[in-house]
Short mmCIF file of all heavy atoms in Angstrom, two decimals:
data_model
loop_
_atom_site.label_atom_id
_atom_site.label_comp_id
_atom_site.label_asym_id
_atom_site.label_seq_id
_atom_site.Cartn_x
_atom_site.Cartn_y
_atom_site.Cartn_z
N VAL A 126 18.16 6.28 -29.05
CA VAL A 126 18.03 7.30 -30.10
C VAL A 126 18.71 8.59 -29.65
O VAL A 126 19.45 9.21 -30.43
CB VAL A 126 16.54 7.55 -30.42
CG1 VAL A 126 16.37 8.79 -31.28
CG2 VAL A 126 15.94 6.35 -31.12
N SER A 173 27.36 20.33 -22.81
CA SER A 173 26.99 20.54 -21.40
C SER A 173 25.86 19.60 -21.03
O SER A 173 24.87 19.51 -21.75
CB SER A 173 26.48 21.97 -21.20
OG SER A 173 27.46 22.89 -21.59
N ASP A 332 16.34 14.28 -22.13
CA ASP A 332 15.86 12.93 -21.86
C ASP A 332 15.06 12.96 -20.56
O ASP A 332 15.31 13.79 -19.69
CB ASP A 332 17.03 11.94 -21.77
CG ASP A 332 16.57 10.53 -22.15
OD1 ASP A 332 15.35 10.27 -22.13
OD2 ASP A 332 17.43 9.69 -22.49
N LEU A 379 5.20 20.20 -24.32
CA LEU A 379 6.29 20.73 -25.16
C LEU A 379 6.24 20.14 -26.56
O LEU A 379 6.89 20.66 -27.48
CB LEU A 379 7.65 20.46 -24.51
CG LEU A 379 8.04 21.44 -23.41
CD1 LEU A 379 9.31 21.00 -22.71
CD2 LEU A 379 8.23 22.85 -23.97
N PRO A 468 11.11 -0.66 -1.11
CA PRO A 468 10.60 0.71 -1.11
C PRO A 468 11.55 1.66 -0.40
O PRO A 468 11.83 2.76 -0.86
CB PRO A 468 9.26 0.61 -0.38
CG PRO A 468 9.23 -0.71 0.27
CD PRO A 468 10.19 -1.60 -0.44
N GLY A 486 31.74 -13.64 -1.56
CA GLY A 486 32.66 -13.10 -2.57
C GLY A 486 31.93 -12.41 -3.71
O GLY A 486 32.45 -12.29 -4.82
N ARG A 544 39.29 2.11 27.80
CA ARG A 544 38.45 2.49 28.94
C ARG A 544 39.34 2.77 30.17
O ARG A 544 39.17 3.75 30.88
CB ARG A 544 37.47 1.37 29.22
CG ARG A 544 36.33 1.83 30.09
CD ARG A 544 35.37 0.73 30.38
NE ARG A 544 34.43 0.47 29.30
CZ ARG A 544 33.79 -0.69 29.13
NH1 ARG A 544 34.04 -1.69 29.92
NH2 ARG A 544 32.92 -0.84 28.16
N TYR A 619 41.41 3.55 5.04
CA TYR A 619 41.07 4.46 3.95
C TYR A 619 39.61 4.90 4.00
O TYR A 619 39.27 5.99 3.57
CB TYR A 619 41.40 3.83 2.59
CG TYR A 619 42.86 3.46 2.45
CD1 TYR A 619 43.26 2.29 1.81
CD2 TYR A 619 43.85 4.29 2.98
CE1 TYR A 619 44.61 1.96 1.70
CE2 TYR A 619 45.20 3.96 2.88
CZ TYR A 619 45.57 2.79 2.25
OH TYR A 619 46.89 2.47 2.15
#
Side-chain angles (χ1 to χ4, degrees):
Chain A
V126 168
S173 302
D332 207 342
L379 279 173
R544 197 181 280 157
Y619 301 141

